């Protein structure tokens, strides 16, 4: 059956066309409710903590780390200084190691060894911690060590120091993404706004597209947090919750989801505008435009949900989160928002000049007050003088 002959979609669209404001409030409220858990989103790098403890290799690694904590999670301290200051650097690192020996945040099963490069300019030492890489204890030990190392090197002229390792890599990478994400989001929103204005010649269409798709992305983030930052879905999806979302996933999901959402939003609104330009009323244009495109959009959504859901069956937690996030964004209850916002529109008023000029075709003008999805209506055919009877 073609989407234009569908009997289901006119029934589903009836509430949005009869009560557009109420439908819009309810649908936006549902999206906001789904997005609410995203306010508590925590970001971390994936690691061995995300693997199931039922895997024999993972259990063996846990026992090995418990027996030798200094070989598990390790902070790498590196110092570069002039060669003639090598003795001062070693003395400063020795005082640092004595300081860590009295703190429970660091491992004490083995004495760390200071290593020196062949030219005596670089010194490194590994400081272990008994905590897992993504735990609060490992993060606290890193922050403490990053405070202590510069203090220890204050008396060494020309010394440069840094603390790296697996914990530092995850923390720094996550911080870098958090700093850059507003710039990426702003660029995507600005580019979308400019493109929509150029295509539809309407500020209201551009703003409504951005707002509705932001709500959809936020709802998918909320579902992601609700599923993976808690333990209730561990048995269902076969994963071990680390209490966080993979750090690179939100930015990746936002870009992909916004692109997919805008693609189908433009497709649907274009069909509505085409129908309105053929002389249909606003509600008829919304009904006809959506029913004509509903079959294509719904079929594509079903295919995407099926493909994305496959990722949820994989063993790595980042793939599970990717699949759930994409599938949630594709299936969020946002279908009523577009027809409800467009149904609130009304034809723009014609100016006196346009009403008095019958030899020109009126193309319509969009006014922001005309609703969230203003439509353009064609001008009626110009009146022609009746032919004179032959004399």
């Amino acid at each position: 059956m073609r989407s234009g002959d569908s009997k289901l979609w006119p029934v589903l669209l009836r509430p949005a066309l009869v009560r557009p404001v109420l439908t819009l409030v309810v649908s936006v409220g549902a999206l906001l409710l789904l997005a609410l858990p995203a306010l508590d989103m925590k970001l971390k790098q994936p690691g061995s903590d995300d693997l199931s403890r039922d895997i024999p290799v993972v259990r063996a690694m846990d026992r090995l780390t418990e027996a030798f904590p200094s070989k598990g999670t390790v902070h790498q301290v590196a110092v570069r200084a002039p060669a003639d200051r090598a003795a001062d650097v070693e003395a400063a690192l020795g005082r640092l190691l004595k300081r860590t020996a009295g703190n429970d945040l660091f491992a004490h099963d083995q004495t760390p060894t200071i290593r020196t490069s062949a030219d005596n300019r670089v010194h490194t030492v590994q400081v272990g911690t008994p905590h897992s890489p993504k735990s609060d204890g490992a993060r606290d030990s890193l922050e403490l060590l990053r405070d202590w190392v510069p203090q220890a090197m204050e008396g060494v002229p020309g010394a440069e120091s840094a603390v790296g390792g697996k914990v530092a890599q995850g923390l720094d990478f996550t911080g870098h993404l958090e700093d850059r994400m507003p710039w990426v989001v702003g660029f995507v929103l600005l580019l979308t706004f400019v493109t929509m204005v150029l295509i539809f010649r309407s500020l209201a269409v551009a703003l409504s597209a951005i707002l509705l798709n932001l709500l959809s992305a936020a709802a998918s983030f909320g579902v992601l947090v609700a599923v993976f930052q808690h333990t209730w879905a561990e048995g269902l999806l076969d994963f071990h919750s680390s209490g966080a979302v993979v750090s690179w996933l939100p930015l990746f999901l936002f870009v992909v989801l916004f692109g997919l959402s805008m693609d189908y939003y433009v497709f649907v609104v274009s069909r509505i505008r085409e129908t309105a330009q053929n002389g249909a009323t606003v509600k008829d244009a919304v009904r006809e435009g959506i029913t004509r495109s509903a079959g294509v959009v719904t079929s594509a959504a079903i295919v995407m949900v099926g493909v994305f859901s496959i990722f949820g069956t994989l063993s790595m937690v980042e793939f599970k989160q990717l699949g759930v996030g994409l599938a949630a964004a594709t299936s969020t209850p946002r279908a009523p928002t577009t027809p409800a916002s467009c149904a609130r529109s009304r034809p723009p008023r014609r100016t006196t000049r346009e009403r008095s000029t019958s030899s020109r075709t009126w193309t319509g003008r969009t006014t922001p007050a005309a609703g969230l999805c203003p439509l353009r209506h064609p001008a009626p055919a110009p009146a022609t003088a009746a032919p004179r009877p032959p004399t």
Side-chain angles (χ1 to χ4, degrees):
M1 178 182 294
R2 297 184 307 167
S3 57
D5 300 328
S6 174
K7 296 181 180 179
L8 175 63
W9 277 100
V11 176
L12 296 178
L13 290 174
R14 188 175 301 155
L17 299 177
V18 176
R19 296 287 187 270
V21 176
L22 179 61
T23 303
L24 189 62
V25 170
V26 172
S27 58
V28 170
L31 291 174
L32 289 175
L33 187 63
L34 288 175
L36 189 61
L39 297 176
D40 190 38
M41 179 182 289
K42 297 180 178 63
L43 302 179
K44 288 184 180 179
Q45 278 283 80
S48 59
D49 293 345
D50 301 315
L51 299 176
S52 173
R53 297 357 255 180
D54 295 333
I55 303 176
V57 176
V58 176
R59 294 200 301 268
M61 183 180 62
D62 290 341
R63 293 194 298 268
L64 184 64
T65 303
E66 184 179 359
F68 304 98
S70 59
K71 299 299 182 182
T73 306
V74 176
H75 303 300
Q76 184 79 26
V77 180
V79 180
R80 184 175 63 182
D84 57 352
R85 296 292 180 177
D88 296 337
V89 173
E90 291 184 6
L93 290 176
R95 292 191 296 270
L96 174 68
L97 294 178
K98 288 181 180 179
R99 197 174 182 181
T100 61
N103 195 300
D104 293 336
L105 288 174
F106 302 98
H108 308 307
D109 58 307
Q110 293 183 4
T111 302
T113 302
I114 301 175
R115 297 184 178 183
T116 307
S117 63
D119 59 0
N120 290 329
R121 297 180 58 195
V122 179
H123 296 73
T124 62
V125 62
Q126 292 184 345
V127 182
T129 175
H131 304 283
S132 59
K134 294 193 297 182
S135 65
D136 293 336
R139 183 182 59 188
D140 293 341
S141 65
L142 172 66
E143 294 176 352
L144 191 60
L145 202 57
R146 284 182 166 176
D147 290 337
W148 286 356
V149 171
Q151 296 174 8
M153 296 301 153
E154 286 180 352
V156 183
E160 299 175 351
S161 60
V163 181
K166 186 180 296 184
V167 181
Q169 178 187 3
L171 200 62
D172 294 345
F173 180 72
T174 301
H176 180 75
L177 283 178
E178 291 176 348
D179 292 339
R180 295 295 186 269
M181 187 167 182
W183 292 96
V184 176
V185 172
F187 174 78
V188 172
L189 296 182
L190 179 60
L191 182 62
T192 301
F193 178 79
V194 172
T195 304
M196 294 295 289
V197 169
L198 292 177
I199 293 175
F200 292 99
R201 296 292 191 269
S202 170
L203 294 177
V205 169
L207 290 175
S208 63
I210 290 176
L211 292 176
L212 294 180
N213 286 290
L214 276 178
L215 282 174
S216 177
S220 69
F221 290 163
V223 173
L224 201 63
V225 171
V227 172
F228 290 97
Q229 283 190 194
H230 302 84
T231 59
W232 63 271
E234 286 184 340
L236 181 64
L237 296 177
D238 190 23
F239 72 97
H240 176 72
S241 176
S242 63
V245 175
V246 177
S247 56
W248 57 265
L249 199 57
L251 184 59
F252 178 84
L253 280 178
F254 174 79
V255 175
V256 174
L257 296 179
F258 212 84
L260 289 175
S261 299
M262 288 305 306
D263 185 18
Y264 289 102
Y265 184 86
V266 171
F267 177 69
V268 172
V269 175
S270 297
R271 301 290 81 76
I272 297 175
R273 187 180 66 169
E274 289 174 0
T275 307
Q277 289 176 337
N278 290 330
T281 63
V282 172
K283 290 187 177 182
D284 289 342
V286 172
R287 183 186 299 107
E288 179 66 20
I290 291 182
T291 53
R292 284 172 54 196
S293 57
V296 175
V297 175
T298 304
S299 300
I302 294 174
V303 172
M304 286 191 291
V305 170
V307 173
F308 296 151
S309 299
I310 295 176
F311 286 92
T313 64
L314 302 180
S315 59
M316 303 297 290
V317 69
E318 52 262 48
F319 292 129
K320 290 181 180 293
Q321 293 183 3
L322 177 63
V324 170
L326 291 172
T330 308
S331 57
T332 47
R334 58 174 180 165
T337 55
T338 299
S341 61
C342 291
R344 294 188 64 248
S345 305
R346 63 176 181 270
R349 296 179 180 178
R350 298 175 63 184
T351 64
T352 304
R353 181 180 180 181
E354 290 170 333
R355 288 194 299 266
S356 61
T357 305
S358 60
S359 60
R360 299 178 183 179
T361 301
W362 177 57
T363 58
R365 294 181 181 178
T366 299
T367 56
L372 293 179
C373 185
L375 304 173
R376 297 184 177 188
H377 290 256
T384 58
R388 290 184 177 182
T391 57

